[in-house]
Amino acid sequence: MICRLCITKYKNMKTVLQPGIVVVLSWILVQCIAAQPKDISLINGIVLKSETYTDTKENPTAKIEVTSPVLEGDGEPVVIFNRLAGSFTRVKLAEFSPAQGVENSFHRTYRLLSNDQRYVSVRFDTTESTGTVHPEHFSTSFNFDLKTGKEIKLASLFKPGSVYLKLISDHCLKALHLTEDDPFQKGALPDAKNFETWNITPGGLLITFQEYQVGAYVDGRPEVTIPYTELKSVIDLNGPLGRYVK
């Protein structure tokens, strides 16, 4: 399935960027198509599947399409995962406010960014169009421990009292070339709110920034992947990231 989120972003950015950038965006589109997950076997006979919901609203008119991860299997973690994953979409749909007299749409999909059978890391990507000059795009993350049945919080990846936020911030500021005199610098300073969208990936800790957080609209939602080796001094070896640095 081709991700409309990528298509929308591609078409929008193609008109404002230099010609050479289009090739890069095409590659991103291919990557996202490849990232659409199929049925995946997890621990204890649990299987992760994709479920798509479509609807058309009237007065005002709005087209809605949502693809979400759903677990099938036995046990309390399955129930908790499905409840939490569903709640993220319900909240966003409740906030969706279609406008009169224009074409409105709400499209939400997800990417499975890591799965080692126990830890599941998902990013939800949403595009909303309500007659504004540009569609709005935003991302949220969901990291879950199938053994404990609990959502994983960013702080739980690291040693208590460690300076993990500063290390994350320093890496992101450098990767994004944000200096002290840059007005967007505050979006990557060591504040937990700046790193609310994060994912565990095989290559490192992925931080996704929202539109306008660390750049202009044309910059989209920048991503920074921090190698685990750069966080080794603060990673809790008994936590979800421990296996990457032992």
Side-chain angles (χ1 to χ4, degrees):
M1 180 183 70
I2 297 179
C3 174
R4 286 190 202 169
L5 172 66
C6 285
I7 294 175
T8 301
K9 193 74 170 181
Y10 169 73
K11 287 181 177 178
N12 179 64
M13 295 181 73
K14 184 174 66 173
T15 62
V16 295
L17 295 179
Q18 297 300 316
I21 303 299
V22 175
V23 176
V24 177
L25 293 175
S26 298
W27 178 82
I28 294 174
L29 175 61
V30 172
Q31 288 296 102
C32 194
I33 294 171
Q36 298 302 311
K38 299 180 180 179
D39 292 0
I40 296 176
S41 297
L42 306 173
I43 61 173
N44 301 326
I46 298 172
V47 177
L48 185 146
K49 296 176 175 286
S50 293
E51 186 175 90
T52 299
Y53 161 81
T54 60
D55 194 12
T56 300
K57 303 293 185 180
E58 301 294 339
N59 296 321
T61 301
K63 295 181 179 180
I64 297 172
E65 181 174 342
V66 175
T67 300
S68 301
V70 177
L71 295 185
E72 291 188 357
D74 299 322
E76 190 66 15
V78 172
V79 176
I80 296 172
F81 179 97
N82 289 338
R83 183 176 70 243
L84 290 175
S87 69
F88 294 138
T89 297
R90 287 192 295 273
V91 168
K92 289 301 179 184
L93 275 173
E95 296 173 348
F96 179 52
S97 182
Q100 294 284 353
V102 299
E103 293 185 4
N104 300 283
S105 64
F106 179 99
H107 180 258
R108 186 173 175 85
T109 186
Y110 77 97
R111 295 178 64 186
L112 180 64
L113 293 168
S114 179
N115 159 43
D116 70 348
Q117 293 197 320
R118 173 177 174 177
Y119 301 112
V120 179
S121 188
V122 170
R123 190 180 73 188
F124 296 94
D125 294 316
T126 305
T127 299
E128 289 186 9
S129 181
T130 56
T132 55
V133 176
H134 302 293
E136 293 184 67
H137 310 87
F138 46 88
S139 299
T140 54
S141 59
F142 181 36
N143 299 276
F144 192 80
D145 186 338
L146 286 173
K147 186 174 181 179
T148 64
K150 295 181 179 180
E151 184 177 1
I152 304 170
K153 302 299 183 180
L154 180 61
S156 69
L157 303 178
F158 305 101
K159 299 174 183 177
S162 65
V163 293
Y164 70 91
L165 285 175
K166 184 179 186 306
L167 293 182
I168 292 174
S169 173
D170 288 347
H171 186 96
C172 290
L173 288 171
K174 182 178 180 180
L176 297 169
H177 306 289
L178 294 175
T179 58
E180 291 184 1
D181 58 348
D182 194 311
F184 289 109
Q185 183 210 29
K186 63 180 181 180
L189 291 178
D191 184 331
K193 292 182 179 180
N194 286 334
F195 311 116
E196 290 182 328
T197 304
W198 62 272
N199 290 94
I200 300 170
T201 77
L205 184 68
L206 174 66
I207 304 295
T208 303
F209 295 95
Q210 305 303 327
E211 288 178 338
Y212 300 111
Q213 183 178 348
V214 291
Y217 181 86
V218 70
D219 296 315
R221 289 162 295 166
E223 300 177 1
V224 176
T225 299
I226 307 174
Y228 296 120
T229 52
E230 295 197 15
L231 300 170
K232 184 175 181 179
S233 63
V234 295
I235 287 176
D236 182 353
L237 297 182
N238 296 315
L241 302 185
R243 65 192 185 281
Y244 292 111
V245 294
K246 288 181 178 179

